Amino acid sequence: MNLQHVLYAVADRIATVTVNRPDKLNALNDAVMADIGAAMAAAKADPAVGVVVLTGAGEKAFVAGADIGELAKQTVIGGKEKSLRGQAVLDLIENLGKPVLAAVNGYAFGGGLELALACHLRYAAATAKVGLPECGLAIIPGYGGTQRLPRIVGRGRALEMILTGGSVDAATAKAWGLVNDVFEPAELQAKVRAVATQLLTRGPLAMAMALEAVLRGTSTSQEEGLRIECDLFGIVSSTADMREGLNAFLEKRKPVYRGA
Ligand code: COA
């Protein structure tokens, strides 16, 4: 895998994907997005990876948005295609089948916040700021922000963020449920790694099915979602891991899961 703008490292079953363009605050041009997609595809395909952490290089930014220089050259058709390409990368993250944790180490504006919204859990440095400034540039969020944000914080807060473009500090983001927790900047990566390590002790297939149930269920009716849940509950009941998990509890020992 030849990545120019993203660092990819696997250690202790955790893949870390670091957007690495700090001189431009990790702004997302097409090449950066392609590298994020390639790194995420590698993490998905690698059975040695159980959890993925996505973060940004440097002290200041997670990702300061789509590359405004590249956007400035955009045409109508090109804009739609760019949005579709970006959405495909974020859909890949959301549907990775393994937990993806965003370590929001600084600014997450525009496409940067949208990238974090596609992750399953979000943790922010106390100094982080998030927002969707697009309307101020006379564009709209194009990497899923108009869809994922209202599903996470509700329509009222999402519209406030999208229409005003105001930036939201980490404490407010936590109060809104936009991030799961906030840590001191120097502690962020270790804290996120601790969450990732804890997730590695859980049944991997069960987590994949739980992710699928929640993701598919929250974009359909409750009735349909409940059908999805019971079907997946049935499938998970056929796994060796389920028998191991239940037997380990009964035998008062730690389970050993094999993802089967
Ligand atoms: N696209 C392209 N370049 C960007 C960028 C973006 N979204 N965000 C930052 N950069 C570049 C800056 O142009 C600057 O490059 P330069 O040194 O070659 O001039 C470099 O990153 C550092 O940014 P700078 O603005 O000097 O840092 P700052 O600390 O003063 O401000 C921000 C930080 C995040 C407040 C500011 O960079 C900003 O508002 N960025 C745009 C955010 C945005 O609107 N994102 C949504 C885009 S749709």
Side-chain angles (χ1 to χ4, degrees):
M1 191 171 36
N2 183 20
L3 302 174
Q4 305 286 317
H5 310 288
V6 162
L7 305 174
Y8 181 75
V10 180
D12 303 325
R13 304 199 53 226
I14 302 168
T16 303
V17 177
T18 307
V19 184
N20 188 28
R21 202 189 171 206
D23 55 323
K24 296 288 179 188
L25 303 187
N26 304 323
L28 302 171
N29 60 24
D30 285 344
V32 176
M33 282 302 269
D35 277 4
I36 295 171
M40 289 292 171
K44 184 180 172 84
D46 186 350
V49 171
V51 179
V52 182
V53 174
L54 175 63
T55 194
E59 302 291 308
K60 258 172 131 173
F62 174 70
V63 167
D67 188 306
I68 296 173
E70 212 174 70
L71 289 176
K73 298 177 194 138
Q74 201 159 274
T75 61
V76 175
I77 298 293
K80 184 170 180 185
E81 283 170 355
K82 187 183 187 67
S83 173
L84 283 171
R85 276 195 307 276
Q87 287 181 2
V89 172
L90 273 59
D91 283 349
L92 170 67
I93 294 173
E94 194 167 65
N95 296 302
L96 207 83
K98 303 172 185 183
V100 184
L101 283 50
V104 181
N105 53 306
Y107 299 123
F109 290 143
L113 176 56
E114 292 173 297
L115 199 53
L117 293 174
C119 298
H120 306 120
L121 300 175
R122 283 167 288 286
Y123 297 97
T127 47
K129 289 194 176 359
V130 307
L132 292 177
E134 284 90 340
C135 286
L137 300 165
I139 54 172
I140 69 169
Y143 292 162
T146 66
Q147 302 306 304
R148 291 193 178 93
L149 186 63
R151 284 172 165 82
I152 293 170
V153 299
R155 195 188 291 190
R157 281 178 174 145
L159 278 173
E160 184 182 355
M161 288 179 71
I162 291 166
L163 296 178
T164 70
S167 79
V168 172
D169 63 28
T172 307
K174 182 179 174 184
W176 288 3
L178 184 44
V179 300
N180 295 83
D181 214 341
V182 176
F183 300 116
E184 286 309 311
E187 292 180 354
L188 175 70
Q189 302 298 344
K191 294 280 190 186
V192 172
R193 213 169 169 78
V195 176
T197 302
Q198 196 260 338
L199 294 179
L200 290 171
T201 67
R202 323 265 297 152
L205 290 177
M207 287 196 297
M209 308 262 175
L211 284 169
E212 186 175 340
V214 171
L215 292 169
R216 285 174 58 197
T218 46
S219 52
T220 186
S221 68
Q222 179 164 310
E223 188 185 10
E224 178 64 21
L226 288 168
R227 288 295 312 172
I228 292 168
E229 182 186 81
C230 68
D231 287 346
L232 291 168
F233 191 85
I235 293 171
V236 92
S237 301
S238 70
T239 63
D241 278 353
M242 183 208 73
R243 285 189 294 283
E244 167 66 7
L246 301 181
N247 286 335
F249 178 84
L250 295 172
E251 294 162 12
K252 300 189 189 309
R253 61 175 174 82
K254 285 202 167 141
V256 180
Y257 295 125
R258 299 197 322 271

